[in-house]
Amino acid sequence: GAVVSQHPSRVICKSGTSVKIECRSLDFQATTMFWYRQFPKQSLMLMATSNEGSKATYEQGVEKDKFLINHASLTLSTLTVTSAHPEDSSFYICSARDGAYRLFFGSGTQLSVL
Amino acid sequence: DQQVKQNSPSLSVQEGRISILNCDYTNSMFDYFLWYKKYPAEGPTFLISISSIKDKNEDGRFTVFLNKSAKHLSLHIVPSQPGDSAVYFCAANGGSGTSYGKLTFGQGTILTVHP
């Protein structure tokens, strides 16, 4: 079956640094990917829609300058958390949509900002 | 504004019995609903889905029922197995066409199946 690889699975960083998370579709092309965030014991919240070759579409309340999304190819989307702060600590998950409109999720990235 | 709600934070069931997980939604524009199983620090695993034009979809031990008039759906697992223990999320698709896949998730229900 289709696989979405998300890397890294876990990252710990100091406050003020930037962290890049990669989401790759391994065996299909994904013109559209989605980024979610999940705080402990809460729901997954959609942050943004990543479109290959164009700007990402952000959900209300999500700072686009804080969470930079780049979808440079049909198999790769990246989320960069810029100048991370402790309140950005969360579980970040991507999903990718294939040509048949099926959705596949990555395994997630646990970000801890000290 | 919680558009997808799972009002039961947890459910405990005996092995072999039926597990019923419920989900309510408020947005009548949702056209597709999905159920996912999730473990902590892992991505969601797709279980089963249903289009808004149907009222039932079955796949092995999993059946999803949709009541559009009540804006309610439920996931039935029968028979329940200890390996089914996980957090179950209901999700609704709010995007159409090229925006399909913008999911709104419920809060999740922790299912525990006892041997």
Side-chain angles (χ1 to χ4, degrees):
Chain A
V3 176
V4 172
S5 173
Q6 189 172 338
H7 180 81
S9 59
R10 186 176 184 87
V11 57
I12 302 172
C13 69
K14 291 183 179 179
S15 185
T17 60
S18 293
V19 174
K20 180 184 284 188
I21 302 170
E22 293 187 348
C23 181
R24 293 180 184 273
S25 56
L26 297 185
D27 53 2
F28 67 98
Q29 293 183 333
T31 55
T32 303
M33 293 186 178
F34 304 92
W35 287 96
Y36 294 83
R37 179 168 58 181
Q38 183 186 26
F39 291 107
K41 297 184 179 180
Q42 292 190 25
S43 182
L44 286 77
M45 299 295 293
L46 179 66
M47 298 175 65
T49 302
S50 172
N51 303 297
E52 187 269 335
S54 64
K55 291 184 178 180
T57 306
Y58 290 82
E59 296 300 305
Q60 191 173 9
V62 178
E63 301 174 59
K64 60 181 181 181
D65 295 331
K66 173 77 171 176
F67 300 99
L68 300 180
I69 292 173
N70 187 358
H71 197 149
S73 77
L74 285 171
T75 59
L76 175 64
S77 175
T78 60
L79 168 68
T80 301
V81 183
T82 61
S83 186
H85 290 284
E87 58 266 29
D88 298 323
S89 298
S90 184
F91 189 64
Y92 294 86
I93 311 172
C94 69
S95 73
R97 190 185 72 208
D98 72 1
Y101 280 59
R102 294 176 299 182
L103 298 170
F104 302 94
F105 280 84
S107 53
T109 298
Q110 182 65 54
L111 171 63
S112 299
V113 185
L114 304 178
Chain B
D1 178 27
Q2 191 77 27
Q3 296 189 61
V4 178
K5 294 183 181 179
Q6 292 175 256
N7 292 316
S8 297
S10 62
L11 175 67
S12 184
V13 173
Q14 205 69 31
E15 181 179 8
R17 305 294 288 269
I18 185 171
S19 295
I20 300 176
L21 297 105
N22 294 302
C23 179
D24 297 295
Y25 63 96
T26 57
N27 190 341
S28 58
M29 297 301 291
F30 289 143
D31 62 353
Y32 206 76
F33 302 90
L34 309 93
W35 282 95
Y36 288 89
K37 178 180 179 181
K38 187 181 181 300
Y39 295 106
E42 293 185 12
T45 301
F46 172 75
L47 287 174
I48 193 168
S49 62
I50 188 167
S51 166
S52 61
I53 62 173
K54 294 189 174 182
D55 55 18
K56 178 183 175 181
N57 188 25
E58 192 172 353
D59 184 2
R61 295 187 299 116
F62 302 94
T63 303
V64 56
F65 296 91
L66 174 63
N67 183 334
K68 278 189 70 176
S69 60
K71 293 190 175 66
H72 176 84
L73 63 155
S74 61
L75 173 67
H76 292 210
I77 306 173
V78 55
S80 301
Q81 300 172 353
D84 295 330
S85 298
V87 181
Y88 287 77
F89 286 95
C90 166
N93 174 59
S96 60
T98 55
S99 293
Y100 171 80
K102 292 178 63 173
L103 301 182
T104 300
F105 283 83
Q107 309 95 309
T109 297
I110 301 171
L111 173 65
T112 303
V113 181
H114 298 283

